[in-house]
Amino acid sequence: MKAIYFAWVRERIGLSEEEVAPPREIETVRQLVDWLAARGDGYAAAFANPKTIRAAIDKAHVAPDASIAGAREIAFFPPMTGG
Amino acid sequence: MPAASAIPTVRVQAEDFDPAREEALLTAGRRDIGAVVSFTGLCRDEDGTLAALELEHYPGMAEEEIGRVAHEALSRWPLVGLTVIHRHGAIRPGERIVLVVAAARHRGEAFAAAEFLMDYLKTRAPFWKKERRTDGTDGGWVAAKGADDDAAARWDRD
């Protein structure tokens, strides 16, 4: 699936998007965050405080316990500050 | 025609917009509208310290999410027309960022819908603001405010 990152999540990881292939046992958004955080220092910094991370699957907001099964695109970003 | 069938206009764009023109487009040729509430959000200069805001957005999701919020507003209030425009890119103090125009038969629903839309946009639409300061430094990412979450939460249904 494609993982995409915004704002300071993107800056800390140093990528705006990438293809990721998590192992089968990674089933939820929360597990995917933990798996990504273990990929390197930038990822660890981006996901250091999971409470500040929001996620969207295929362009719709999801909760941390949401399943990632069948997701084509999963986005991670800080709490929104538009308006 | 039932009012709830109004089709919202949603635009996410780098260019500026004209609130008067958008309001005129909503009301042109109609005689059933009794109230139009228009909200324009502007970029503040933060007492002269802010050079610009860089608004990052999630292309595709920004339009979809504003569309979802707009349809939620239409399901709650009998609106006759609704326009939401949100800009991205570099925006300098004094420039417009966001516009909500809600048209209805009566002012109560127009005011409520406009306020609901702004409260929800601030907490659900995928936009992030980065500050550029007048002294040339990077002011960092604007932090989300708990007050905005509280404002949005008051619209939650049991």
Side-chain angles (χ1 to χ4, degrees):
Chain A
M1 72 186 78
K2 185 161 80 172
I4 52 181
Y5 312 114
F6 291 99
W8 52 251
V9 175
R10 171 178 53 74
E11 289 180 341
R12 290 177 191 178
I13 291 173
L15 287 173
S16 55
E17 63 176 73
E18 63 183 322
E19 280 298 321
V20 294
R24 189 180 294 271
E25 65 266 24
I26 303 299
E27 295 175 344
T28 67
V29 170
R30 187 180 285 113
Q31 289 169 341
L32 183 59
V33 166
D34 291 342
W35 181 75
L36 286 167
R39 299 183 99 193
D41 290 347
Y43 292 90
F47 296 114
N49 184 357
K51 281 199 176 71
T52 64
I53 297 292
R54 302 285 180 272
I57 290 180
D58 296 334
K59 299 186 169 69
H61 291 292
V62 291
D65 59 358
S67 167
I68 62 168
R72 295 183 302 276
E73 179 175 288
I74 182 159
F76 294 101
F77 40 77
M80 292 68 72
T81 55
Chain B
M1 187 179 79
S5 67
I7 296 168
T9 295
V10 171
R11 297 211 306 273
V12 174
Q13 61 189 43
E15 308 79 53
D16 192 16
F17 51 80
D18 178 353
R21 180 173 177 274
E22 299 302 332
E23 181 176 323
L25 284 172
L26 265 193
T27 57
R30 303 202 62 141
R31 305 176 67 167
D32 56 341
I33 296 173
V36 177
V37 169
S38 173
F39 172 85
T40 303
L42 304 170
C43 178
R44 276 189 312 266
D45 73 354
E46 304 295 359
D47 301 320
T49 62
L50 187 80
L53 285 175
E54 302 279 353
L55 264 100
E56 180 169 333
H57 77 301
Y58 183 173
M61 183 178 171
E63 292 86 343
E64 284 186 28
E65 192 58 37
I66 294 174
R68 280 191 278 269
V69 176
H71 283 283
E72 174 69 22
L74 289 170
S75 78
R76 291 180 182 227
W77 295 281
L79 303 178
V80 180
L82 179 59
T83 296
V84 182
I85 302 173
H86 203 304
R87 292 179 65 196
H88 60 82
I91 296 178
R92 288 180 292 278
E95 293 184 347
R96 289 175 279 261
I97 300 174
V98 63
L99 175 73
V100 168
V101 189
R105 293 179 62 81
H106 305 286
R107 72 180 187 281
E109 52 246 34
F111 272 119
E115 197 162 15
F116 165 87
L117 275 155
M118 281 310 305
D119 287 343
Y120 263 57
L121 277 181
K122 289 192 85 80
T123 53
R124 293 194 62 85
F127 292 86
W128 303 273
K129 292 182 180 129
K130 189 171 202 179
E131 292 187 350
R132 262 200 286 128
R133 297 208 174 111
T134 48
D135 63 7
T137 60
D138 177 344
W141 294 96
V142 174
K145 295 186 187 74
D148 289 336
D149 289 327
D150 295 343
R154 71 199 158 112
W155 301 101
D156 287 351
R157 288 164 159 167
D158 294 331

